[in-house]
Amino acid sequence: PSDSTLVSCKGIYVGTGGNLAISTSDTATPVVFYNVGTGIMFPIELKNGRIMSTNTTASNIVSLGW
């Protein structure tokens, strides 16, 4: 997670559950998904979006595909 690094992916794997804050583009307001489970494949497409460090408590996060 980073509040500044842009990510393009077709999904996000959450290795250790918690909250996941995502900005879908470089200008979008972040959205927080609460209590995302461990081992979840989160199906969200990002094109120059961000997996925010602010408000993200989940860890072992991997962006998938593109």
Side-chain angles (χ1 to χ4, degrees), residues 10-14 20 22 33 36 40-45 64:
K10 296 207 178 224
I12 299 169
Y13 172 79
V14 178
L20 184 62
I22 297 172
F33 296 91
V36 176
I40 294 297
M41 174 28 205
F42 203 76
I44 188 166
E45 185 172 332
L64 303 170

Side-chain angles (χ1 to χ4, degrees), residues 7-54:
V7 175
S8 292
C9 64
K10 296 207 178 224
I12 299 169
Y13 172 79
V14 178
T16 304
N19 298 339
L20 184 62
I22 297 172
S23 176
T24 57
S25 74
D26 61 343
T27 58
T29 301
V31 174
V32 179
F33 296 91
Y34 294 95
N35 301 313
V36 176
T38 295
I40 294 297
M41 174 28 205
F42 203 76
I44 188 166
E45 185 172 332
L46 301 179
K47 291 184 181 178
N48 292 320
R50 292 183 175 91
I51 302 169
M52 308 295 292
S53 60
T54 301

